[in-house]
Amino acid sequence: MPVSLEDVDHIARLARLGLTDEERTALRGELESILGYVEQLAKLDTGGVEPTASMRDDSTPTRPDRTSNDDDAEKLVERAPDRQGTYLRVPKIIEASE
Amino acid sequence: MSSSAPSTIDAASRALAAGELSATDLASAMLDRIAAVEPTVHALLTVTADRALADAREADRRRGAGESGPLLGIPIVLKDLFATDGIRTTCGSRILEHYVPPYDADAVTRLARAGAVLVGKANMDEFAMGSSNENSAFGPSRNPWDPGRVPGGSSGGSAAAVAAGECLGALGTDTGGSIRLPASYCGVTGLKPTYGRVSRYGVTAYASSLDQVGPFAHTVRDVSVLLGAIAGHDPRDSTSAPQPVPDYVAALTGDVRGLRFGIPAEYFADGIATAVEKSVREAIETLRGLGATVVDVSLPHTSYGIAAYYLIATAEASSNLARYDGVKYGHRAKRGADELLEMYRHTRDEGFGAEVKRRILLGTYALSAGYYDAYYRKAQKVRTLVRNDFRRAFETCDLILTPTSPGTAFRIGEKVADPLAMYLSDVFTVPTNLAGLPGLSVPCGFDEAGLPIGLQLLAPPFEEADLLRAGDAYQRATDFHERRPAEIGAASGGRSEASEQQSA
């Protein structure tokens, strides 16, 4: 599976990951090599095989949907890089995301 | 003091109960040992000296008030992805370099309740992604048997700390072998419990359908004590299992007569080191001599495990690591301060190391439009085939016996330039995670360079008691788990007592 620099840029954009030119070039080759390795899965006949998404054979357990006010807002927000009161402050959001 | 301090939880627990030793003395001895060996081993990212002494005083007070218990006053370390209230928790990453959690992980709470003494937070591959510890943003841990070699990963610091005598037990996590591989490379005992056996509340997620918490120690008996303390249902982790927790120590009868061990030919294929195969085959004979039965089994999809794992694990990682965005906690880049998407990109560029970026991109690729069916969904189907292999094998055996890894600890730097070669270190451990099974690694020999070799035992889900009984019986018959590295000092050439014994 050939991987182009444009492919790397595309998935880096999806992953919100900035890359230096050096990283872009290295990652292109590495991803190509790893994807080449996983190609072997294509040889396996998986017709009629159900995918495994979870190790639990039963359904996800439920719990009562109760709210609580145990969390201390200050304790949680004090770890934020930028804040105003108990709000998290972020840079402005322009247009819609691409 | 360190040379006379007990080196197992069992021995320390007896000495503490008999009043021959106080928890405070033991904690001080460990802190001395840490100070002596850390410049060489670098197993710890944070030494919690004040906390250790406070925990130890509390343990002594509780004992004085009539309490007892196998972990009361026992010094332990935690892989640095267990949230510890008020203590820095970095996950081996720059992005969390200064992160101090506001709460404890469930396993941490349970160990504290049992009276364990926290002496440090252990080094690890960044976000548990790695097989060598070289992906730690803070420099790798070194193997106590040879400081020129890796301790294995990703829980390499936890394994190295036990091997170097910096603690008596440790916790790690295992997503594709991250407990068993370093246990094998460092000559200690490590257990990956069944998926869901231990709560992951407060444990930083890497790949959520695979991650599981587990213990390290020198002996199976000690590992059984630790598992008993941390296992059990936790309503805060919806994947934690409701099954009752048996008395794992009571299961250690020493009797393996009639127990059927399955030997899969696929785990003795090309690429396995001669010394590894020899030691594991000797272990089979040891168990046979104890009255166990040995049968051939087949796990035909073994060789597809790594490919399926690196698609599933990276896909889940790309989602789990989306939370590190410079908004709620952790590092935020100064660059891009006037636009949100730019801030995300710079934050994640500055905060993540090369392997984490590689895996996020691979996982994003596997999940992206047009590739989902060919990669992610295909890998999930192969996962079903791997799981079915084990189901069929366990119809004719109780436990499966394999090498933990095809080789022994490699040199620092040896595989850094080739991610795929690094991934293949996990070829014998990854299938267990894909199937959600418990796996135990115990020391079973040394190679010609004096490096430890690990024996892996696997069991059906929630059959940890059988696994531990077999491992304990093996350790009663052998002494590999009692060997210790040569004195670790500055500028050690890495020669060990064992290597001298081996070459003598």
Side-chain angles (χ1 to χ4, degrees):
Chain A
M1 186 76 199
V3 177
S4 66
L5 281 175
E6 289 69 36
D7 292 333
V8 174
D9 291 341
H10 173 62
I11 53 176
R13 208 159 37 239
L14 292 176
R16 306 289 185 251
L17 202 52
L19 298 175
T20 63
D21 279 346
E22 206 175 277
E23 286 175 322
R24 271 175 88 225
T25 313
L27 281 161
R28 194 207 62 75
E30 289 162 0
L31 288 177
E32 193 168 275
S33 147
I34 295 166
L35 289 169
Y37 177 78
V38 304
E39 279 299 304
Q40 61 177 290
L41 296 185
K43 290 185 303 195
L44 264 182
D45 180 7
T46 50
V49 178
E50 284 297 311
T52 296
S54 160
M55 277 301 117
R56 288 189 69 102
D57 289 321
D58 47 349
S59 57
T60 304
T62 58
R63 56 178 166 75
D65 187 15
R66 287 201 205 99
T67 57
S68 78
N69 282 319
D70 296 343
D71 287 338
D72 179 342
E74 177 58 29
K75 202 170 154 184
L76 296 176
V77 174
E78 72 184 2
R79 283 154 177 84
D82 195 7
R83 58 179 284 201
Q84 188 174 329
T86 53
Y87 291 93
L88 306 176
R89 200 209 301 256
V90 295
K92 73 176 174 192
I93 299 162
I94 53 159
E95 322 281 26
S97 57
E98 71 260 64
Chain B
M1 179 83 201
S2 63
S3 58
S4 61
S7 77
T8 64
I9 292 174
D10 189 48
S13 176
R14 286 166 198 274
L16 289 163
E20 295 159 8
L21 182 70
S22 72
T24 308
D25 291 341
L26 185 55
S28 300
M30 289 296 153
L31 293 171
D32 289 348
R33 176 72 179 163
I34 288 168
V37 303
E38 268 301 288
T40 305
V41 181
H42 193 226
L44 304 177
L45 294 176
T46 303
V47 179
T48 54
D50 294 344
R51 165 72 180 266
L53 294 171
D55 282 355
R57 278 193 298 273
E58 174 64 9
D60 285 331
R61 189 199 61 74
R62 284 167 63 177
R63 194 177 294 278
E67 261 190 72
S68 63
L71 290 174
L72 187 57
I74 299 299
I76 53 123
V77 310
L78 302 166
K79 186 177 186 179
D80 206 19
L81 50 51
F82 287 88
T84 42
D85 192 351
I87 296 172
R88 183 175 87 124
T89 300
T90 67
C91 297
S93 182
R94 290 274 170 226
I95 211 160
L96 293 178
E97 185 171 0
H98 305 294
Y99 173 62
V100 178
Y103 70 109
D104 279 332
D106 181 68
V108 176
T109 305
R110 289 179 190 245
L111 284 178
R113 208 181 294 143
V117 171
L118 180 64
V119 296
K121 300 292 295 287
N123 201 355
M124 56 183 285
D125 285 296
E126 185 175 4
F127 287 108
M129 298 178 187
S131 308
S132 70
N133 228 260
E134 292 165 291
N135 296 331
S136 168
F138 308 108
S141 296
R142 292 169 174 273
N143 193 312
W145 292 89
D146 179 348
R149 293 179 186 266
V150 304
S154 67
S155 310
S158 299
V162 171
E166 300 177 62
C167 58
L168 299 183
L171 293 190
T173 54
D174 191 315
T175 304
S178 283
I179 288 174
R180 290 159 290 153
L181 185 73
S184 170
Y185 282 8
C186 290
V188 300
T189 301
L191 173 72
K192 177 231 174 265
T194 307
Y195 183 79
R197 180 70 292 182
V198 180
S199 169
R200 300 177 302 177
Y201 176 77
V203 180
T204 304
Y206 158 24
S208 302
S209 76
L210 301 159
D211 296 341
Q212 181 54 202
V213 171
F216 291 92
H218 282 295
T219 66
V220 172
R221 176 164 291 268
D222 287 358
V223 158
S224 305
V225 168
L226 288 165
L227 179 65
I230 60 175
H233 181 65
D234 173 13
R236 296 170 301 183
D237 175 1
S238 68
T239 63
S240 82
Q243 277 87 341
V245 178
D247 184 336
Y248 296 114
V249 176
L252 308 178
T253 60
D255 187 0
V256 291
R257 280 174 298 172
L259 208 57
R260 296 166 304 166
F261 287 79
I263 315 296
E266 293 84 358
Y267 283 65
F268 294 85
D270 294 348
I272 176 174
T274 314
V276 171
E277 174 156 16
K278 182 167 175 286
S279 290
V280 173
R281 295 220 180 266
E282 283 168 8
I284 295 171
E285 291 316 307
T286 301
L287 287 161
R288 211 198 290 267
L290 295 172
T293 306
V294 176
V295 298
D296 289 330
V297 296
S298 180
L299 298 167
H301 296 96
T302 298
S303 66
Y304 297 100
I306 291 283
Y309 171 83
Y310 275 95
L311 291 170
I312 292 168
T314 59
E316 294 180 9
S318 73
S319 170
N320 274 327
L321 271 64
R323 73 192 66 182
Y324 305 104
D325 58 3
V327 173
K328 300 173 292 296
Y329 51 85
H331 174 73
R332 176 187 288 193
K334 299 272 184 291
R335 295 180 293 160
D338 53 356
E339 205 273 306
L340 186 68
L341 288 180
E342 284 306 301
M343 187 279 281
Y344 287 161
R345 286 193 194 121
H346 289 304
T347 294
R348 291 159 66 78
D349 176 30
E350 292 171 10
F352 291 143
E355 183 63 26
V356 172
K357 288 179 180 174
R358 198 177 289 134
R359 294 198 195 187
I360 288 174
L361 288 183
L362 182 61
T364 304
Y365 188 85
L367 291 176
S368 64
Y371 297 108
Y372 180 88
D373 283 332
Y375 289 114
Y376 184 62
R377 199 165 174 81
K378 180 78 181 184
Q380 288 186 316
K381 289 179 178 176
V382 174
R383 184 174 189 179
T384 304
L385 297 176
V386 170
R387 204 178 176 193
N388 290 344
D389 280 357
F390 281 109
R391 278 198 183 127
R392 266 192 290 276
F394 282 126
E395 287 169 9
T396 59
C397 66
D398 302 300
L399 300 174
I400 290 172
L401 184 156
T402 79
T404 304
S405 182
T408 53
F410 47 90
R411 288 184 198 287
I412 291 174
E414 192 177 323
K415 297 189 182 180
V416 169
D418 187 352
L420 207 46
M422 184 78 85
Y423 296 173
L424 289 169
S425 312
D426 295 325
V427 63
F428 295 159
T429 50
V430 149
T432 326
N433 299 76
L434 291 173
L437 306 175
L440 176 72
S441 181
V442 294
C444 73
F446 293 86
D447 70 5
E448 48 289 331
L451 300 167
I453 295 168
L455 172 73
Q456 180 175 242
L457 299 174
L458 309 174
F462 300 104
E463 300 297 341
E464 281 87 355
D466 275 352
L467 203 55
L468 295 165
R469 175 160 60 98
D472 172 64
Y474 177 74
Q475 291 190 336
R476 291 184 197 210
T478 56
D479 70 349
F480 302 114
H481 61 289
E482 290 171 3
R483 313 254 187 108
R484 298 290 181 266
E487 197 45 53
I488 299 158
S492 160
R495 300 308 295 172
S496 62
E497 278 170 12
S499 67
E500 282 154 22
Q501 283 167 4
Q502 296 281 309
S503 56

